Amino acid sequence: GDSVTQTEGLVTLTKGLPVMLNCTYQTTYSPFLFWYVQHLNEAPKLLLKSSTDNKRTEHQGFYATLHKSSSSFHLQKSSVQLSDSALYFCALSFNSAGNKLTFGIGTRVLVRP
Amino acid sequence: EAAVTQSPRNKVAVTGGKVTLSCNQTNNHNNMYWYRQDTGHGLRLIHYSYGAGSTEKGDIPDGYKASRPSQENFSLILELATPSQTSVYFCASGDWGGAAEQFFGPGTRLTVL
């Protein structure tokens, strides 16, 4: 079946440093990959998405490139801010009835001053 | 602005009791979803619907039923609640297509004693 793997459960870093969150996936279909962000006591919301191989997509200072050859969609930011402290989910979808999302277990990012 | 609302926001239920969680969306989206969120598991799909009158099983449907009486409303029903169903439940809506963003409601915190 389809699956998404996020290897880091918790990432703690200092404001201003770069961050990379890993995401790999497995599917036999043509994939759409997403990053959702969830701040404390809030609902998840879309951060960015892609279905184009080897094309960088960016939003709010975050960026990711879908690499179908390695089944990866890692999330990066050059300089994290305190407001980036949140739970980040990688998710996978494809064209189907219902367009279900398969989520990874999430990576919690804690940014310290 | 996309809008998904859930009620109640908090619920305490007794083991063996019936619980109904309600979700309303004003996005005119065909697809609606129910997830539960637990630490270490991410977001897991319980049931989903791709139109009024339809309900489909997600990845963890056991112990849950769903009802989609209209385009706007999607309910999750626990006929016999158990403590293992203590969780935070999120409803979401989304349009057709694998690239479609899902819009999440604010969540319902359910505690089963």
Side-chain angles (χ1 to χ4, degrees), chain A residues 100, chain B residues 34 44-48 55-62:
Chain A
K100 298 183 296 177
Chain B
W34 275 107
R44 293 181 289 174
L45 182 65
I46 306 169
H47 284 288
Y48 65 103
T55 60
E56 303 292 333
K57 293 180 180 179
D59 299 320
I60 52 164
D62 293 346

Side-chain angles (χ1 to χ4, degrees), chain B residues 66-85:
Chain B
S67 173
R68 181 89 182 269
S70 66
Q71 179 84 337
E72 296 79 20
N73 296 295
F74 191 38
S75 298
L76 186 68
I77 303 146
L78 291 67
E79 295 277 5
L80 295 170
T82 69
S84 65
Q85 294 175 314

Side-chain angles (χ1 to χ4, degrees), chain A residues 97-101 103, chain B residues 21 23 30-36 43-51 54-68 74-79 85 89-93 102 104:
Chain A
N99 301 122
K100 298 183 296 177
L101 278 173
F103 284 88
Chain B
L21 306 182
C23 178
N30 289 309
N31 298 332
M32 295 188 74
Y33 311 86
W34 275 107
Y35 297 91
R36 62 177 286 176
L43 290 157
R44 293 181 289 174
L45 182 65
I46 306 169
H47 284 288
Y48 65 103
S49 167
Y50 44 80
S54 86
T55 60
E56 303 292 333
K57 293 180 180 179
D59 299 320
I60 52 164
D62 293 346
Y64 303 92
K65 291 172 55 177
S67 173
R68 181 89 182 269
F74 191 38
S75 298
L76 186 68
I77 303 146
L78 291 67
E79 295 277 5
Q85 294 175 314
Y89 292 84
F90 285 98
C91 176
S93 74
Q102 288 189 14
F104 287 80

